[in-house]
Amino acid sequence: MTVKQLQELLNLRCISEGSEDRQLEGGFCGDLLSWVMGYGQYGQAWFTIMGNINAVAVAALHDIGCMVLCQNSTMQPNALEKAKEEGIWVFTTDMPVFEACGKYYEAIK
Amino acid sequence: MEAIKFSYTVPGDDFTRAGDASTDLKSKLKKMGVTGAPLRNISISLYEGEINLAIHAGGGEITALVYPEKVELYLDDNGPGIADISLALQEGYSSATEEIRSLGFGAGMGLPNMKKYADEFHIESEVGKGTHIKMVVNL
Ligand SMILES: Nc1ncnc2c1ncn2[C@@H]1O[C@H](COP(=O)(O)OP(=O)(O)OP(=O)(O)O)[C@@H](O)[C@H]1O
Ligand SMILES: [Mg+2]
């Protein structure tokens, strides 16, 4: 599915936009950055609570499809600025990681 | 053929800037026509090295040499060095403090990721003197 379709599916709030037709290839969850670098994959939806500038760097360098900040976690202002600059899709949601991933998994499995 | 050279100085302990060198090199390479997996492999392995310079070594120097068929990445620091390199290379080994872990670092995956994403990985380190890493990513 596309990032836009994921947004609709999970009713996500968008705080930073990327390219309209960005395709997603599965997903990944984790908050340890090198873990995400090592086991996450290009084009995935990344479910996390880590909203700092280093997380944005990981998303940018790894070319992650989109970030989904779960359970009301927020993105620090300097991080959000960088995300917008780099054109990275970032969403927020009240849902815990477990629930957000579960719904996404159901939809694509 | 002569390589195109890019150099960066990574400050120690400024984690908000850690990632700047990798991000800059990525955009320069992109403009030079590098895309896809090689670009990601370079970005990821350099980022891990850059973060290690900032966190573990009190800063250091990055040199990237771009050839038509490969990119060589050099990371040099005069930090504390690594006593047991084979231990440091194990997935999950980390000496990161609680404060650093709270920023999302310290999974102990940085060096393993560098080994995994680079086509060549060489490390030399001496306690009290510093650490030198060379990586090669084929284009
Ligand atoms: N340049 C360096 N100078 C001194 N020690 C280093 C250096 N790079 C790595 N180390 C040591 O090797 C260990 C493992 O490094 P590695 O990058 O794999 O994990 P980490 O940095 O601790 O955590 P992560 O990279 O997953 O955030 C570090 O915890 C540190 O003790
Ligand atoms: Mg590391």
Side-chain angles (χ1 to χ4, degrees):
Chain A
M1 70 172 68
T2 64
V3 167
K4 282 272 182 195
Q5 286 166 325
L6 177 72
Q7 177 181 17
E8 208 164 296
L9 175 77
L10 300 180
N11 195 17
L12 305 170
R13 291 181 294 270
C14 179
I15 58 172
S16 169
E17 285 181 37
S19 72
E20 278 289 317
D21 50 359
R22 183 73 204 251
Q23 285 289 330
L24 292 173
E25 287 292 334
F28 192 80
C29 54
D31 306 310
L32 286 171
L33 302 177
S34 296
W35 196 267
V36 178
M37 278 291 207
Y39 294 122
Q41 304 244 320
Y42 157 76
Q44 287 177 328
W46 176 23
F47 297 83
T48 185
I49 55 164
M50 193 57 80
N52 64 19
I53 192 150
N54 306 103
V56 173
V58 167
L61 294 167
H62 211 332
D63 213 352
I64 296 274
C66 70
M67 292 178 74
V68 183
L69 291 169
C70 296
Q71 204 142 31
N72 278 322
S73 47
T74 52
M75 185 157 268
Q76 293 168 5
N78 63 339
L80 186 58
E81 201 178 306
K82 189 175 165 112
K84 286 179 175 163
E85 225 176 83
E86 298 274 336
I88 298 166
W89 283 105
V90 184
F91 299 105
T92 64
T93 176
D94 309 342
M95 273 187 277
V97 175
F98 180 75
E99 203 181 321
C101 287
K103 286 191 170 145
Y104 179 46
Y105 183 79
E106 263 313 303
I108 62 170
K109 77 165 192 230
Chain B
M1 171 144 185
E2 210 163 302
I4 301 167
K5 179 175 166 178
F6 300 103
S7 306
Y8 303 92
T9 299
V10 180
D13 296 321
D14 184 355
F15 307 130
T16 58
R17 282 189 51 201
D20 284 5
S22 318
T23 306
D24 186 76
L25 185 69
K26 184 182 179 184
S27 74
K28 292 211 163 94
L29 290 172
K30 224 172 169 174
K31 279 182 201 137
M32 293 165 74
V34 182
T35 56
L39 186 63
R40 283 196 296 279
N41 294 345
I42 293 162
S43 305
I44 292 171
S45 31
L46 187 61
Y47 179 75
E48 294 288 7
E50 183 179 358
I51 293 292
N52 280 356
L53 289 180
I55 289 182
H56 304 296
E61 300 294 326
I62 291 174
T63 312
L65 297 179
V66 184
Y67 295 89
E69 75 287 359
K70 65 175 178 183
V71 174
E72 292 179 359
L73 303 167
Y74 296 86
L75 296 129
D76 300 292
D77 69 68
N78 303 314
I82 302 172
D84 187 339
I85 291 181
S86 61
L87 179 66
L89 282 169
Q90 281 177 23
E91 291 196 2
Y93 174 79
S94 175
S95 64
T97 60
E98 271 310 307
E99 190 202 339
I100 295 203
R101 284 172 200 265
S102 72
L103 295 170
F105 303 117
M109 290 291 293
L111 291 171
N113 282 348
M114 290 157 82
K115 246 185 113 167
K116 173 175 161 187
Y117 285 98
D119 293 295
E120 269 180 52
F121 174 85
H122 310 276
I123 181 166
E124 269 171 38
S125 190
E126 199 175 328
V127 173
K129 285 216 160 145
T131 302
H132 304 280
I133 290 173
K134 176 188 177 184
M135 294 183 283
V136 181
V137 177
N138 298 326
L139 297 178

